[in-house]
Amino acid sequence: MPREFQQDGEVAFGGFQSFPNSSAFDPGKGILESSINMRIDAGVMRPRNGCVKMSEPLFEDCAYAASSFGLYDHIHIFSLGGQVKSLCTTDPYQTVTTQPTPVRPYIKCAGQGYATLASIEVANTPNWNGNYDFVSCCNVVGRMAYAKNDQIWFSLFGGLQPFDPDTVSLTLGTYDQIHKLHYSNVTRKLYAFGDAGIYEIEPGFTAAALAEGKPNETFFTKVRLMSAQEGIAAPDTVGETNGSILWLNNGGINKIDLGKGMVEGELPITIPVHDIFGGRTHVQLSGCTAVGLQGRYYIAYPDVGSTTNTNVLVVNTALPGTFESIDRYPFAIKHLVKARDFTGVPHVYAITPNGTVYKLDEGDTDDGTAIQASFRTRD
């Protein structure tokens, strides 16, 4: 019986650090100052896999994209014209479906299907006066949480009556508009990302408790200000993986450790690669998009002077140096989402401005374009 071959790895390949002078960084975190289109696994460096096209352009005016999980996984592409097209990723034989929808580009709700979301909104229209001006929504264990200005509106399960939705104001000292909601199954808490602050919310049933005459504080929704210094620059950059929530702030990528919490005023984790995001305004970075999957955080961003996302910074939480690669793609990336494929394996998918869907980490070319991989050690 032949002996199994184990490829040797180099512990010095622990990620790259490129700013301001990579020779000054901790050698224990790696010796690389550049890594383009590479992957590092157990000290072994290899070119990344390619990507394959899953659909032709679905819309000429893609406004937003979302993924939903269930018996079948879908990627939903929303148009500015008020339609949604759904591509099933777990069953390649299902055809793309088209449905009308209100113009709600804020919809990106992992784990919540479009049809369920629509039915909840319709059921609660009398309570909300038909104002579909929410900027973010989130599935909270069967309930829907919506962000509107500095408030969060919670539905009951499925929007059932007779109780009105709970409304929670996050105003703690000053007005802070919410741009993104994220629910973590690890902590069973909701996180709200505003212009200037980050909030942690324990959802309750305040309206139901008061209506039943049981005003016990254990039923009340609790709000805690985690930081008044770190806001969010790009609403679509919140991603959770390996016990951490990451997002793009004005100064770089910040992190919440779900086990240890967050230190207010802590420097961004991207200081070693400050040349990527440093010096750019939130307007220049507002179109960035990100997703977390299996220990990696992928964030798509544009070159300096551009607004088109053609680069993806890969943050690998298993590496001592954290930053694994800058992946470069031959197409623009409007949104990154995650969904299972027909084998049940979760993948990251990229959606272009015209609604073309690409499955990443598949194949050996970028849909026919050769991958140029390289790395460089520091001085």
Side-chain angles (χ1 to χ4, degrees), residues 99-308:
Q99 303 176 61
T101 176
V103 183
R104 300 192 303 265
Y106 59 85
I107 298 175
K108 184 175 184 180
C109 191
Q112 184 69 38
Y114 157 72
T116 305
L117 173 60
S119 64
I120 290 175
E121 288 188 334
V122 171
N124 286 280
T125 295
N127 299 323
W128 295 341
N129 300 316
N131 292 323
Y132 294 108
D133 56 352
F134 299 92
V135 296
S136 182
C137 66
C138 186
N139 184 28
V140 183
V141 195
R143 304 173 71 190
M144 293 303 300
Y146 292 87
K148 180 179 181 180
N149 300 324
D150 68 336
Q151 294 183 335
I152 298 177
W153 293 37
F154 291 99
S155 74
L156 295 181
F157 290 97
L160 299 177
Q161 302 301 318
F163 303 119
D164 292 337
D166 289 321
T167 302
V168 179
S169 177
L170 298 188
T171 301
L172 297 175
T174 184
Y175 177 85
D176 191 8
Q177 182 173 352
I178 303 169
H179 294 286
K180 185 65 177 178
L181 296 175
H182 175 80
Y183 182 76
S184 173
N185 289 315
V186 175
T187 60
R188 314 287 285 183
K189 294 177 182 178
L190 181 68
Y191 296 86
F193 298 81
D195 281 320
I198 310 297
Y199 305 82
E200 183 182 72
I201 302 101
E202 293 186 46
F205 293 91
T206 307
L210 293 176
E212 290 290 333
K214 301 175 182 178
N216 191 308
E217 66 177 17
T218 58
F219 294 105
F220 294 169
T221 298
K222 301 175 181 61
V223 179
R224 182 171 72 91
L225 176 63
M226 301 187 72
S227 173
Q229 299 183 38
E230 288 85 13
I232 189 167
D236 199 33
T237 58
V238 177
E240 180 178 344
T241 188
N242 200 21
S244 297
I245 298 175
L246 300 98
W247 74 98
L248 182 63
N249 187 13
N250 287 321
I253 297 175
N254 283 86
K255 181 180 77 170
I256 298 174
D257 187 316
L258 296 176
K260 300 178 181 179
M262 177 182 179
V263 177
E264 184 172 15
E266 188 175 23
L267 291 173
I269 66 170
T270 45
I271 291 299
V273 291
H274 186 69
D275 50 316
I276 296 178
F277 300 111
R280 300 206 215 182
T281 67
H282 72 281
V283 175
Q284 295 169 326
L285 297 173
S286 61
C288 293
T289 177
V291 67
L293 179 66
Q294 296 179 331
R296 288 181 169 96
Y297 172 78
Y298 305 81
I299 177 168
Y301 66 94
D303 290 324
V304 175
S306 172
T307 58
T308 302

